[in-house]
Amino acid sequence: MPLDAVCLQAILEELRPRLLGLRIDKVQQPARDQVVLLLRGNQRLLLNAGANAPRIQLTGIIRDNPAEPPMFCMLLRKHLVGARVADMVQPPLERLVRLELDITDDFGQPGRRTLVLEAMGRRSNLILLDGEGRIIDCLRRVDADMSAARQVLPGLYYEPPASTGRLPVTEETEEGFRAKLAAANPERQLDAFLLDSYFGVSPIIARELAFRAAGDTDRRMFELTSREEDTLWAQLQGFISAIKENNFTPICLRQEGKPVDFSYLPITQYGTAVDTERYGSFCQLLDDFYEARERMERTRQRGADLIRSATTARDRLRRKLALQEKDYAATQNRDQLRISGDLITANLYRMERGQTKLVCENYYDENCAEITIQLDPLLTPQQNAAKYYKRYTKAKTAEKYLREQMDIARRDLEYLESILEEIAEAETEQDFLDIRSEMRDAGFLRRQGKGKKEPKRVTKPREFRTTSGLRVLVGRNNRQNDKLTMKDADHRDLWFHTQKIHGSHVILCTGGMEVDDDTIVEAAKIAAWYSQARTSGNIPVDYTQVKHVKKPSGARPGMVVYHTCQTVNVTPEEGLIKRLFVK
C-alpha cells in the first residue's frame, strides 16, 4: 500500500527517540527522488519523494551515489551539513513531515532550517525552507502553469497543501457516525463509504474495517444489519484508539514468499491467500518491502536502453539462426544434386537441347528405380549436368560455412542472454556503465563520437562471508567474471556456477584448506541466487577448483569451459544472502 498518514505517524514515533539531537554529517542523493542524511552514530535517514514509494525511514541499504552529485544535493550539503535534528513534526493525519533542523550560519549565528517531505503520491516533493518559512529550493518546482492553486518555487513562502474537507477520523463520534450511515447512498460499498467520509483512512484499512464488520469487503450499505453497524462502529472506534495511543504493529503481507503489501494493523481480509509477517520495526519492514522494487525500478530507468539493445540484437540473432538452420538442412540433401549430374552425364547420348526433364534409371538405387530430373530447356545437356555439379559443390561448401556461422550465432545468443541477466542484477550506476562499455566493445552498441567521457570507477565484486568465515566473491558482469576467475582467484579456490544456466562466477576463497559441506552449500546458494534461476528451486550448481576452469581462445567475456566438477542441488534463500552479505 502507499504510505498513508497513519503509517507515517507510526514511523515518526519510531524515529523521534533515535534521531532527535543527532548531527548531520553528510548528505547524499543516490537517485533523483531520494535524499539520504548520514547522521552521527552511522544512522542513514532516507527521504524518498518518488511517486511510487514516498516515505521517510532509517535504512540499512547502502545506495550507490552518482559520480557527480545533483545540484539539489549540493544545495542541501551547503545548508544542512553540521545541522542537528531539533524536531520531527507531522500535522494531524497529513502525509507531510517537517524536519526541523538547528544550524549555525557562516557568521557563527544560530539559525533554523526546515526540510519538508510531502509524501503525496505523484505530488510528492522535498522542500527546503529558511528560518522565516521561505522556500530556498525544492526537488520539484511547481509553477502557475502546473498548478494555479499552489506554487512551489524558490523565494515564495511555503504554504501546506489544501485540506480535503473530509472529517479527520480521530474526531468522529458515535452520533456523527450513525448520522453518516443514515444519509449514505444504499448502493455504495462499505469501504467506499469509509473512504468518502473520513480523512486518514487508506483503502486497505477501509476494506479491513468492512471485512471485520460484515465478513465481506464488497458489502453494500443496504445489506448492513443493525448488528453489523454496531460492529463497524466498534471496529472504527478501535482504529481511532490505536491512532491516538500510537498502538501500531509493523505487518508485511507476503504471497508465495514475495512482499505484496504492508500495514500497521493486522490484516485478515485476504485469509489464507497471503502470509502475515510481523517485524520489529517499520524501518526494517520498509527496507525489505521496497528493496526488490527499487532494484527493478532502477533497472527499468537506467537499463531500459541496454535491455532494448540487447533484446533487439538477441531477437535478430534468433531469426538469423533459424534461417541458417533451414539452409543447413537443405545442404544435407546435396548428394541428390551430384547423382542428378552423374545421371545426366550418363544419358547425354539420349538427350537433346530443349528438354525440360530427363526420365531415366537411377543406377545408384538398388532396384534401379526410375527417376525424373528437371532440366533447364535453355541449357545444353552438358550445361545442365554442370549446373547440378555446381549446386552440389556450393552446398558442400555452404555446409561448412553455415556450421561455423551457426556456432557463432549460438555463442552470441548465449552471450546476450548473460548480458540481460547482468542488467537484471545491476545495482549501481557503475554496473550499468560497465555493461554499456562491454556491449560496445562486443559490437552490440555503436561507439559514440568524441565528447564527454563517462565517469569511470573501479567496482569490486560482491563479497560474502560464509558461516565458517570464508570469503565468497561474486562477479558483477562478464568482464569482472573473467578477471575474478582467470586472474584474481587462487588456483586452489573453488569456482561455482549454475549448471547450463546463465549466472555470475562465484569464487569460494579456500586458501588451500578443506571445505565442509555446509560451506559448499552456502556458496552454491549464492551462485543460484545470482543467476537466471533465482526464483526456482532445486537448482543444480557445478563447482570445481579454479585450476580446472579454462577460457577458450576468442571466447566472449565471461565464457569459460570446465570438464571436471561436482554438482550440488540447492534452493536460494533471500534471508541467507542478506545474512552473509558483507556491506
Side-chain angles (χ1 to χ4, degrees), residues 205 208-209 212 239 242 247-251 263-267:
I205 296 300
E208 181 64 20
L209 293 174
R212 292 184 183 184
F239 175 59
N247 184 18
F248 306 115
T249 303
I251 299 289
S263 176
Y264 44 85
L265 294 176
I267 300 297

Side-chain angles (χ1 to χ4, degrees), residues 362-369:
N362 181 7
Y363 53 76
Y364 286 97
D365 185 71
E366 292 180 357
N367 301 320
C368 290

Side-chain angles (χ1 to χ4, degrees), residues 348-408:
L348 286 176
Y349 70 93
R350 299 173 48 202
M351 299 175 62
E352 295 179 1
R353 184 166 186 163
Q355 283 185 234
T356 59
K357 61 183 178 180
L358 169 65
V359 180
C360 63
E361 292 182 346
N362 181 7
Y363 53 76
Y364 286 97
D365 185 71
E366 292 180 357
N367 301 320
C368 290
E370 275 195 351
I371 185 173
T372 300
I373 302 172
Q374 299 298 321
L375 303 174
D376 186 342
L378 300 179
L379 301 179
T380 66
Q382 293 86 346
Q383 288 173 330
N384 270 293
K387 181 179 179 181
Y388 274 103
Y389 285 134
K390 183 176 181 181
R391 287 173 60 190
Y392 168 77
T393 304
K394 185 177 180 181
K396 186 177 180 180
T397 305
E399 180 187 31
K400 179 182 178 181
Y401 174 79
L402 285 170
R403 190 185 299 118
E404 294 174 351
Q405 291 301 306
M406 286 191 297
D407 288 342
I408 293 173

Side-chain angles (χ1 to χ4, degrees), residues 1 12 19 55 69 109 130 145 221 236 259 378 458 479 484 530 552 565 580:
M1 73 174 206
L12 293 182
L19 299 186
R55 65 193 187 278
Q109 299 298 315
D130 63 15
D145 292 335
M221 299 296 295
L236 186 62
L378 300 179
V458 177
R479 285 178 173 174
L484 185 61
Y530 288 101
C565 72
L580 301 183

Side-chain angles (χ1 to χ4, degrees), residues 103-137:
I103 67 161
T104 302
D105 63 20
D106 295 338
F107 300 101
Q109 299 298 315
R112 174 62 64 95
R113 292 289 181 270
T114 303
L115 192 58
V116 181
L117 172 65
E118 296 179 351
M120 299 178 179
R122 61 184 179 84
R123 294 176 296 163
S124 297
N125 209 342
L126 194 59
I127 306 165
L128 180 64
L129 310 180
D130 63 15
E132 299 177 352
R134 199 187 300 268
I135 299 173
I136 299 176
D137 208 345

Side-chain angles (χ1 to χ4, degrees), residues 489-500:
D490 187 284
H491 70 280
R492 299 168 297 176
D493 291 341
L494 291 181
W495 178 87
F496 290 75
H497 197 282
T498 45
Q499 188 181 94
K500 299 179 181 179

